Amino acid sequence: MNTAKRIAIFASGSGSNAENIASFFKDKESAVVALMLTNNPNALVIDRAKRMGIPCTVFNRAEFFDDRVIVDLLIAQKIDLIVLAGFLWKIPENLLQHFAGKIINIHPALLPKYGGKGMYGHHVHKAVIEHGEKESGITIHYVNEKYDEGKVIFQASCLVSREETPESLAAKIQQLEHTHFPRVIADLLE
Ligand code: GRF
């Protein structure tokens, strides 16, 4: 019997984390990235999924917020864990209910600082630098009905140098994400 845990990854843009997680589990028996999903028909994550031979579903607002299409797909695919990696839409109530305690997100800062609506991508790094923070980092957390407020699972930090730019900080953060996110997911699924 195949007991591999099944992961679904939601991404809205580049999908470098999605690809990194899928590569990590590629040769492991414990889990598999069964599905990628995106709200953005132009997202690079679609090409990454195709290259890796992983099905990728593109959906619109109505399918995500008004219908059960996505919930039903995730149930049919027997998904054990939903990973949000650069996914920009709020998770609707029906999805939260069906997958209670099984949805996690990565945020590119040390929550509870620099979270909430509008705090994504370079907006986060810009705010961190403008506030003169000496360190930033990543937060992996459970998803609940409020943006970026679910229980923290893991954090890792990096220094913010005097000459840091949002771009250089983004590169440091991406490095942390790629190093830690797959391993934290593996630990969670154990
Ligand atoms: C990551 O920094 C993640 O923390 C944030 O969006 C970014 C996604 O990057 N929420 P990628 O699409 O995985 O390259």
Side-chain angles (χ1 to χ4, degrees), residues 13-18 48 85-87 105-108 121 173-174 177-178:
S14 162
S16 76
N17 278 285
R48 295 188 194 260
F87 182 63
N105 179 46
I106 190 158
H107 186 77
I173 296 288
Q174 189 183 59
E177 293 182 334
H178 288 186

Side-chain angles (χ1 to χ4, degrees), residues 10 37-40 57-61 63-64 70 87 89:
F10 283 73
L37 303 100
T38 185
N39 60 305
N40 175 3
T57 296
V58 182
F59 53 83
N60 61 32
R61 288 198 86 83
E63 287 166 328
F64 193 56
I70 300 304
F87 182 63
W89 286 358

Side-chain angles (χ1 to χ4, degrees), residues 33-48:
V33 174
L35 183 63
M36 292 187 188
L37 303 100
T38 185
N39 60 305
N40 175 3
N42 301 314
L44 191 58
V45 70
I46 299 170
D47 302 323
R48 295 188 194 260

Side-chain angles (χ1 to χ4, degrees), residues 151-166:
K151 184 168 174 276
V152 171
I153 300 164
F154 175 86
Q155 291 186 306
S157 57
C158 62
L159 295 178
V160 177
S161 72
R162 280 168 188 270
E163 49 291 328
E164 206 76 75
T165 63

Side-chain angles (χ1 to χ4, degrees), residues 43-105:
L44 191 58
V45 70
I46 299 170
D47 302 323
R48 295 188 194 260
K50 206 174 279 172
R51 209 176 338 109
M52 302 188 83
I54 297 170
C56 187
T57 296
V58 182
F59 53 83
N60 61 32
R61 288 198 86 83
E63 287 166 328
F64 193 56
F65 291 107
D66 305 334
D67 303 334
R68 282 188 48 110
V69 183
I70 300 304
V71 173
D72 287 344
L73 172 65
L74 295 166
I75 293 170
Q77 283 288 318
K78 298 189 176 4
I79 296 302
D80 296 294
L81 184 71
I82 295 172
V83 173
L84 311 183
F87 182 63
L88 298 181
W89 286 358
K90 200 157 188 281
I91 300 301
E93 191 56 39
N94 66 346
L95 194 46
L96 284 171
Q97 267 168 18
H98 276 279
F99 290 88
K102 293 181 178 168
I103 310 179
I104 66 170
N105 179 46

